[in-house]
Amino acid sequence: MPIKIHSLKALFSFISVFFLFSCMNNSEAQLQEVKNLNFDFKNMPLVSEIFTADPSAHIFENRIYIYASHDIESAGIEDDSGNHFNMIDYHVLSMNLDGSDVTVHPVALSVDDVDWAESKFWAPDAAFKNGKYYLYYPAKDKYNVFKLGVAVSDRPEGPFTPQPEPMKGSYSIDPAVFVDDDGSSYLYFGGIWGGQLQRWENGSYDKNGSLKDLGVPDAPSIMPRMAKLSDDMLEFSEEIQTIDIIDEDGNPILTKDLERRFFEAPWIHKYEGVYYMSYSTGDTHLIAYATSDNPYGPFVYQGTMHEPVQGWTNHHSTLKVADQWYFFYHDTELSGKTHLRNVKFTTFDHNNDGSIDPIKTYFGSDFRF
Ligand code: FUB
């Protein structure tokens, strides 16, 4: 049946939309479609005073503390390097264990306080040890290279005093600390594309490393990194290791396997003695998870843990409060803009066999980009 176009105006909009979509690549066009969907969100933004994203949640002093990115309006044009995520400081959020008394604390750390950092305070995390709180954060240095910094405080909400230099040997983004039952602390990190992990494949920085990772689709994908932290929590105590994510047959997940390959935002939790590494698949907008009996991996891919959200990025953390597991994430309900996000949380459980059903944080049918 031919499409009837009843007016010149309709014809014009039809041609414009057709032209717009044919100029975009697939992922941009699909993202545009998702932005136009009317989401029926299941959960409320935790705070609306400021835009917040990339939540890393912990219990300190019998209260939940959330170490998040502080999103701000940006003149940066949205691109595949995350140019539009131009954050300059951190505010810690906290709330009681029952979710009451949500507080936005004053600035915990500003880029102006860190001599080596020029810009891009992206996703942070924190840990407690030796009576001190440690904030781990990525930032770009004056050469436009992402490094990881540590800042120290007596209080979980800060203010934090930065170490004068980035962590020795550190690179890329999205640090996440995991403290094991024996007190050993490990820092997991990494993100491709704008997070620059693809530029470190040969052990040193290659500024000519491609922006994307799609050069060799049949090669093993770029994998996250980790290393044990020193007792003083300020440096790596060993060589940085690459963590393998493999399929059930023991083969590495490949670059072309976009719904399973690592993109950014690694997070570790332990459940009944098993290490779960969950991570974002980036341009397929999922949180995937993989399991191991060893914090160094290899981690065997298990499935999708979180369906896509409104907005490009999907970034999360998990936290057990009493007997209930919580999943912290963000979407863009308050702004509709990819770079102005809001933190939320929901519950999740492990099945009897340890698997996790995909968490969906909106009502309605599933969508995929
Ligand atoms: O917030 C900036 C970046 O967006 C984070 O570092 C990534 O994980 C993504 O959420």
Side-chain angles (χ1 to χ4, degrees):
M1 168 107 98
I3 301 171
K4 284 187 187 161
I5 297 182
H6 295 288
S7 69
L8 269 181
K9 197 173 163 199
L11 177 62
F12 180 73
S13 21
F14 176 78
I15 291 170
S16 321
V17 168
F18 179 79
F19 180 73
L20 179 69
F21 276 75
S22 55
C23 288
M24 293 172 171
N25 63 35
N26 267 349
S27 139
E28 283 169 330
Q30 286 162 338
L31 181 60
Q32 189 63 41
E33 286 173 21
V34 169
K35 281 180 174 168
N36 293 339
L37 286 177
N38 276 327
F39 273 80
D40 192 358
F41 299 100
K42 285 186 180 173
N43 306 296
M44 302 267 294
L46 193 57
V47 298
S48 54
E49 298 95 308
I50 59 172
F51 292 110
T52 54
D54 308 325
S56 297
H58 297 274
I59 297 177
F60 296 134
E61 301 182 357
N62 207 33
R63 198 168 157 83
I64 297 172
Y65 283 85
I66 300 152
Y67 299 84
S69 299
H70 173 204
D71 283 355
I72 50 172
E73 276 294 359
S74 158
I77 293 171
E78 185 164 341
D79 67 10
D80 283 341
S81 72
N83 188 36
H84 45 311
F85 296 113
N86 248 332
M87 298 83 100
I88 55 169
D89 62 20
Y90 296 111
H91 290 259
V92 178
L93 312 178
S94 72
M95 59 187 181
N96 287 332
L97 299 185
D98 63 3
S100 62
D101 186 28
V102 179
T103 305
V104 180
H105 294 279
V107 172
L109 185 70
S110 161
V111 77
D112 294 336
D113 303 331
V114 185
D115 287 345
W116 63 268
E118 292 286 308
S119 64
K120 298 216 163 9
F121 264 17
W122 285 10
D125 192 15
F128 174 72
K129 194 169 182 181
N130 310 327
K132 302 270 185 204
Y133 295 90
Y134 298 87
L135 179 73
Y136 297 87
Y137 59 97
K140 278 193 172 177
D141 69 10
K142 62 182 174 192
Y143 304 107
N144 222 21
V145 177
F146 268 115
K147 299 277 172 62
L148 304 178
V150 194
V152 188
S153 177
D154 293 330
R155 298 288 316 146
E157 71 274 18
F160 288 86
T161 304
Q163 291 295 106
E165 301 292 336
M167 296 174 75
K168 286 185 210 72
S170 68
Y171 53 86
S172 199
I173 59 166
D174 290 359
V177 200
F178 172 70
V179 182
D180 211 342
D181 304 330
D182 66 359
S184 302
S185 304
Y186 303 94
L187 195 72
Y188 295 76
F189 63 93
I192 59 173
W193 294 17
Q196 302 180 340
L197 190 58
Q198 70 280 3
R199 297 183 179 173
W200 293 91
E201 279 302 87
N202 298 319
S204 58
Y205 184 71
D206 173 7
K207 72 175 170 26
N208 298 316
S210 65
L211 171 63
K212 298 197 178 179
D213 58 325
L214 297 176
V216 193
D218 288 312
S221 64
I222 296 168
M223 301 287 179
R225 309 292 207 270
M226 61 87 76
K228 198 171 189 175
L229 289 168
S230 53
D231 284 343
D232 65 7
M233 300 293 274
L234 299 178
E235 299 290 352
F236 299 120
S237 69
E238 61 184 4
E239 286 288 304
I240 291 170
Q241 328 264 325
T242 296
I243 320 171
D244 287 328
I245 306 172
I246 58 177
D247 65 18
E248 59 192 9
D249 297 323
N251 301 311
I253 300 296
L254 302 181
T255 298
K256 67 181 180 190
D257 194 348
L258 300 182
E259 294 212 348
R260 299 198 295 174
R261 69 94 157 77
F262 172 78
F263 189 98
E264 63 187 5
W267 181 262
I268 300 281
H269 76 268
K270 200 171 179 183
Y271 175 74
E272 296 195 342
V274 176
Y275 298 86
Y276 286 66
M277 183 174 64
S278 34
Y279 56 92
S280 167
T281 63
D283 53 349
T284 45
H285 313 278
L286 304 166
I287 299 296
Y289 77 102
T291 57
S292 178
D293 57 9
N294 191 314
Y296 292 87
F299 284 83
V300 181
Y301 175 86
Q302 300 294 342
T304 293
M305 184 168 179
H306 188 207
E307 295 286 330
V309 295
Q310 187 191 59
W312 202 98
T313 62
N314 198 349
H315 189 125
H316 72 299
S317 64
T318 58
L319 182 69
K320 192 176 181 198
V321 184
D323 288 333
Q324 179 62 60
W325 283 91
Y326 288 86
F327 184 85
F328 288 78
Y329 66 102
H330 65 229
D331 61 30
T332 59
E333 178 175 1
L334 289 176
S335 75
K337 294 181 184 170
T338 283
H339 65 288
L340 296 177
R341 299 161 291 181
N342 44 255
V343 165
K344 298 182 170 184
F345 68 93
T346 187
T347 56
F348 77 100
D349 290 308
H350 302 77
N351 297 319
N352 288 341
D353 64 358
S355 62
I356 300 170
D357 293 332
I359 300 165
K360 203 172 90 173
T361 46
Y362 54 90
F363 297 102
S365 48
D366 290 354
F367 73 87
R368 282 289 190 279
F369 286 80

